[in-house]
Amino acid sequence: AGAMMDRVDTPPPGMVPPGMGGGPLPGMSAPPGTSVSFAEPPGESKLLALERTLAAKDAVMEPEVLATLRDYVANGGKPAAAIELLSENYRGYAQMTGLVCKWLEITEPEGEKAGAGGAGHQRAGSGGISAAVSPQAGRGSGAATPTFGRPAGAEDDDTPQGGGTMPRTGSAAIGLASGGQRGERANTPVGQIRDKTASALRNWRARVRKDEMWFLERLIRRKFDPRRVDAAKGRPAWMQRLLVSDRGRAVLFSLAEAHPNCLLITIAIQHAWQHGHADEVRALGPAAASYFSIFHELLAEHFTALIAAGDDEDRRAGAIDVIKRACTQSLATYLFAQMMLADLARGGDAGLPGGGSSKAVSALASRVSRELEGAAAATHGSSTVRKIAPLLAESDADAAATAVAGDLLLTTEEERRRRGTEGKAAGVAPPLPRGILKKLHALYVDDSTPPRDGSTSRDGSTRDAIAPPPGMGAGPPPGMGMAPPSSNAKARERPGATPLRQPELLRSLFDEAFRCNVGAAASADPGRAESRAQCVDLIVRAVTDGGEDEAAEARRALESASKALEAAARGSAPEPESFRGLVGYPPAAAGVIAWVSSAMGDPEHYRQVHAGASNQVYFGMLARAAVSQPRLRERALDAVGAALAAMGKGSSEALHLGALDVAVEMVEAGHVLPVIEAATERWSRHVDPSHLRYFAGEVLEVAGPPYGGRFASAMVRLLRAANARRGTAGMNPTIDEFVAQVRRQREGGRLHPNLAKEDDTFLEDLAK
């Protein structure tokens, strides 16, 4: 054994490395007449590479396997060896994957199966269904009135007065009705055929999508890691195949909103934009806002669509919603959009085709700018948006006024948070900081001209001028002439009305100017009158174009509203006809709503002796203002909620029913779903359930069949919040008729959209 271990095997000739017997040592040449080569024969390296390719797992399933076989045989490979390599390394991974996908499809819950193909169509169809509310004869107007100043995200009432409505289903959208007609009802033969065809098409689409790619797409969306994807060096071969594939781009685009900074998604979006797939990029909506070269063109298209909408409120609301979602992705996109809107508001064309804008377009641009500001504040924070607002001002004076207005609002918000006040739902807003208010007022109005020889202190008193030191007179230094008058010597430039027309600032000014002094005389606070006068001056400047006659008329209307409200606080009701004309002017109506909210939203009001005489007067004035001004109904609705919260459940039934009667009048005027939802979600905490049942009965007296699905659902939820049951107090025949009518519509397939499961269950409980 030892001898065998000591034996050294001698390698065959030609296999000994250089320097170890197989050739000359480094630095020495081979003997003459001999040659040593260790390179592989030509073509052998390529043959080995082809063999490795054929020996890979499942190589027989690769798309290029035939080309690889041809190259292998052409380079001297044996066909039998190729067949052996392919067969021995076949694993069937693709077939296994297909089998597993089939198992997943079979075991998938039924609800998810139905949702895969039809959920998108159902969502598209449920968004615009009318409530179909119709007032009975002699009550209300014939059409719903649009509202103004709604919070971001609030839906339209969508409650045309009278008549049935058609659901905007997916089948109607693709024109599957006979002859392309989209107005056939579901209970007609044509409508039934249309719905069945659309349902079959959705089911077929759901079935064919459940392939390997469908599950792979879902896996990618769940496991996608942008850092690992962007770490790939160079441009991998799979990237080009992914970019030219419709489904591959669709997967990447579905991830764009969640991963806006991913390099691969950026490349995919730019590749699609440059290679004739602009429609796919447009469909991304807000996700494309991260790419400025694309965002600029898309934003121009959005603005063009907004202008083209004209007076069509539905199209206009849709265009505004698209702009808000696209332009609030970042502060950069928000700033750029605001610059374009500012140019349109000033009469420019903002780079849009078609030349300069009209007066209507300018007004629309100003309105959209305010709505966009609110959406950006909700996304990025109000303090951030207000800090950059001066950058968008038209002049230095406007920038200064915008900055002061922002400070005023930020300080007020901090005070509101400190007090624990809940924003809009509060009836009593905190007072405005008087120092900042005075500063803002001074930018627009000169209180007095300061004396030549003195200066004005913070409290308004005049101080003696400080004498110059000896030898330093008031004139120029010796040897120097008087400097020419500078621009500072001229009249100071006044800011325009734009900084004052911010909705939040206007609301704060109205709250301060029309604040009811509950429990204390106005004379108890000597600065109160000054603050009120300053707010009135700013309101007049904001609501007029600067003409003296118009400003004087606005001031008279505001003063008349203030006098009528002071008389109402003593229990004296205004003359109906004159008051109707007064609240026909929107600023006066806004003042009425602000006063009633501050009075009846303060719990201290109900402890006053005069409260009993003024409550019903206040309710009447609030109802008249809300009916006269559709754009102020949200504020009036907040005032009703603030009053109910301040009353508490311990107040008298007459007070609660009086506030609810104001809400019923708003329903009758067309402000339907927001009122019902407020009663269900907010007021139910402050009123007795029997009072909610009374309110439900009054609403159903105003509304008549047929009922839309959204209205029916809102009413069922209201009845559930009111603990409605057969035989309970507050139930009346109107509610019973509503329940029966909704059940008939549901059974006949005429309730669109359908009720939710819990609403359907409660409806059956009401019918028992």
Side-chain angles (χ1 to χ4, degrees):
M4 292 182 65
M5 293 184 65
D6 292 337
R7 181 173 64 84
V8 177
D9 292 333
T10 302
M15 296 298 293
V16 181
M20 298 187 65
L25 293 172
M28 299 181 63
S29 60
T34 64
S35 63
V36 179
S37 176
F38 299 100
E40 296 176 350
E44 187 172 338
S45 59
K46 184 175 182 180
L47 189 63
L48 291 174
L50 292 170
E51 286 183 350
R52 284 194 293 270
T53 301
L54 294 173
K57 306 299 183 186
D58 270 350
V60 71
M61 304 299 296
E62 292 296 329
E64 299 86 3
V65 64
L66 292 178
T68 305
L69 281 172
R70 282 193 293 267
D71 290 345
Y72 179 72
V73 175
N75 283 274
K78 296 180 180 181
I83 294 173
E84 184 178 357
L85 289 171
L86 291 175
S87 60
E88 287 183 353
N89 292 286
Y90 173 72
R91 297 293 184 270
Y93 292 139
Q95 285 68 27
M96 295 181 200
T97 304
L99 180 61
V100 172
C101 290
K102 191 65 177 177
W103 292 345
L104 290 173
E105 182 179 359
I106 294 173
T107 58
E108 192 174 18
E110 288 297 327
E112 296 184 14
K113 287 182 182 179
H121 296 280
Q122 293 167 2
R123 285 192 298 270
S126 62
I129 303 307
S130 300
V133 179
S134 61
Q136 293 183 350
R139 303 194 68 175
S141 59
T145 309
T147 60
F148 172 78
R150 291 188 183 135
E155 295 182 348
D156 290 336
D157 290 350
D158 221 356
T159 53
Q161 307 294 319
T165 58
M166 279 302 299
R168 296 196 288 269
T169 61
S171 58
I174 59 177
L176 290 177
S178 174
Q181 297 176 0
R182 299 170 62 178
E184 294 291 344
R185 295 182 177 272
N187 59 347
T188 64
V190 173
Q192 293 173 359
I193 294 173
R194 177 200 63 195
D195 293 344
K196 290 180 180 179
T197 305
S199 177
L201 179 59
R202 288 195 296 267
N203 292 338
W204 174 80
R205 284 175 175 167
R207 285 197 300 272
V208 297
R209 287 188 61 215
K210 297 298 181 63
D211 55 6
E212 293 82 357
M213 279 294 295
W214 189 85
F215 286 102
L216 180 60
E217 291 166 5
R218 192 162 66 171
L219 180 65
I220 291 173
R221 293 188 183 98
R222 188 167 65 247
K223 298 289 187 179
F224 186 78
D225 186 352
R227 293 173 299 177
R228 297 185 63 181
V229 171
D230 292 345
K233 304 298 183 183
R235 191 180 180 94
W238 52 263
M239 183 180 295
Q240 185 62 26
R241 294 197 297 270
L242 188 65
L243 296 179
V244 299
S245 167
D246 292 343
R247 295 186 72 172
R249 289 194 306 273
V251 173
L252 291 178
F253 291 169
S254 68
L255 299 166
E257 191 165 356
H259 307 284
N261 299 319
C262 178
L263 180 60
L264 175 62
I265 297 176
T266 301
I267 293 173
I269 291 177
Q270 293 177 347
H271 180 278
W273 186 260
Q274 297 167 2
H275 289 80
H277 303 291
D279 290 341
E280 297 180 10
V281 179
R282 291 188 183 95
L284 282 174
S290 302
Y291 316 99
F292 186 78
S293 60
I294 299 173
F295 170 73
H296 183 204
E297 187 170 343
L298 290 178
L299 187 59
E301 293 182 2
H302 295 330
F303 282 157
T304 302
L306 173 65
I307 295 172
D311 296 331
D312 190 331
E313 283 293 334
D314 289 338
R315 288 178 57 196
R316 180 185 294 179
I320 292 175
D321 184 61
V322 170
I323 291 173
K324 287 193 293 187
R325 288 187 290 112
C327 298
T328 54
Q329 296 296 303
S330 67
L331 291 176
T333 57
Y334 167 72
L335 270 173
F336 184 76
Q338 286 285 31
M339 290 171 65
M340 292 185 68
L341 288 169
D343 189 46
L344 286 173
R346 290 192 289 266
D349 60 3
L352 303 179
S357 63
S358 63
K359 183 176 292 187
V361 172
S362 299
L364 177 62
S366 299
R367 169 186 167 185
V368 175
S369 175
R370 297 306 177 199
E371 294 193 29
L372 181 59
E373 183 179 351
T379 303
H380 303 288
S382 57
S383 60
T384 302
V385 172
R386 289 185 186 128
K387 286 177 182 177
I388 64 177
L391 300 176
L392 302 168
E394 186 176 357
S395 64
D396 292 342
D398 281 4
T402 302
V404 176
D407 292 341
L408 185 73
L409 292 175
L410 287 174
T411 305
T412 305
E413 287 179 0
E414 291 174 0
E415 178 66 16
R416 181 181 289 116
R417 285 193 295 267
R418 190 183 68 82
R419 290 184 170 197
T421 308
E422 298 180 357
K424 284 187 174 182
V428 183
L432 296 181
R434 291 179 179 173
I436 304 178
L437 177 62
K438 186 175 182 179
K439 184 177 180 181
L440 180 63
H441 182 264
L443 293 176
Y444 285 90
V445 181
D446 275 331
D447 293 329
S448 61
T449 303
R452 296 178 180 271
D453 58 347
S455 59
T456 304
S457 64
R458 294 176 62 90
D459 59 1
S461 61
T462 302
R463 298 177 298 190
D464 293 335
I466 300 176
M472 297 185 65
M480 298 183 63
M482 183 71 69
S486 63
S487 59
N488 294 332
K490 300 178 182 179
R492 181 160 52 92
E493 180 186 5
R494 296 293 180 186
T498 302
L500 297 176
R501 289 173 177 169
Q502 303 176 47
E504 291 183 30
L505 178 61
L506 270 176
R507 177 164 185 167
S508 297
L509 292 175
F510 273 104
D511 288 341
E512 185 70 20
F514 289 88
R515 184 185 304 277
C516 180
N517 295 291
V518 176
S523 58
D525 184 1
R528 170 75 184 87
E530 181 184 6
S531 295
R532 179 189 176 278
Q534 290 170 348
C535 289
V536 170
D537 289 341
L538 294 175
I539 290 172
V540 169
R541 183 67 184 90
V543 301
T544 62
D545 291 332
E548 293 184 3
D549 293 341
E550 185 183 8
E553 183 180 354
R555 190 178 298 276
R556 282 195 298 270
L558 294 174
E559 293 296 340
S560 298
S562 180
K563 291 178 181 178
L565 289 164
E566 290 173 355
R570 299 187 295 270
S572 176
E575 198 276 323
E577 287 300 324
S578 63
F579 186 74
R580 184 179 293 106
L582 180 63
V583 294
Y585 183 57
V592 170
I593 295 173
W595 180 290
V596 175
S597 180
S598 67
M600 304 200 73
D602 189 348
E604 184 65 26
H605 166 77
Y606 302 96
R607 303 186 183 99
Q608 306 301 313
V609 176
H610 59 76
S614 62
N615 287 331
Q616 294 303 320
V617 179
Y618 280 156
F619 284 143
M621 297 174 76
L622 179 62
R624 175 52 56 189
V627 170
S628 299
Q629 298 297 330
R631 295 182 177 181
L632 296 175
R633 286 173 188 162
E634 283 291 341
R635 290 204 61 187
L637 190 61
D638 292 339
V640 173
L644 290 172
M647 294 174 194
K649 288 189 176 181
S651 294
S652 66
E653 182 180 48
L655 275 177
H656 285 162
L657 298 187
L660 293 175
D661 284 339
V662 176
V664 172
E665 292 201 38
M666 283 194 280
V667 170
E668 186 176 351
H671 201 56
V672 183
L673 293 182
V675 174
I676 298 174
E677 290 166 359
T680 304
E681 298 169 7
R682 302 201 299 265
W683 303 348
S684 58
R685 300 192 298 268
H686 309 301
V687 300
D688 189 80
S690 63
H691 298 161
L692 280 184
R693 292 193 289 273
Y694 162 82
F695 172 70
E698 291 297 308
V699 169
L700 292 174
E701 288 286 345
V702 173
Y707 302 112
R710 293 174 61 200
F711 174 78
S713 179
M715 285 301 302
V716 170
R717 290 196 299 270
L718 173 63
L719 292 172
R720 185 166 65 241
N723 296 327
R725 293 290 187 277
R726 275 188 176 274
T728 55
M731 293 293 285
N732 56 47
T734 306
I735 297 178
D736 294 336
E737 292 172 6
F738 165 77
V739 172
Q741 174 66 23
V742 172
R743 294 183 70 206
R744 284 194 298 269
Q745 289 185 218
R746 183 195 59 190
E747 293 167 0
R750 293 178 287 112
L751 188 66
H752 304 285
N754 293 325
L755 298 178
K757 184 177 180 180
E758 58 273 16
D759 296 339
D760 211 2
T761 302
F762 185 75
L763 185 70
E764 292 302 317
D765 292 341
L766 287 176
K768 293 178 181 178

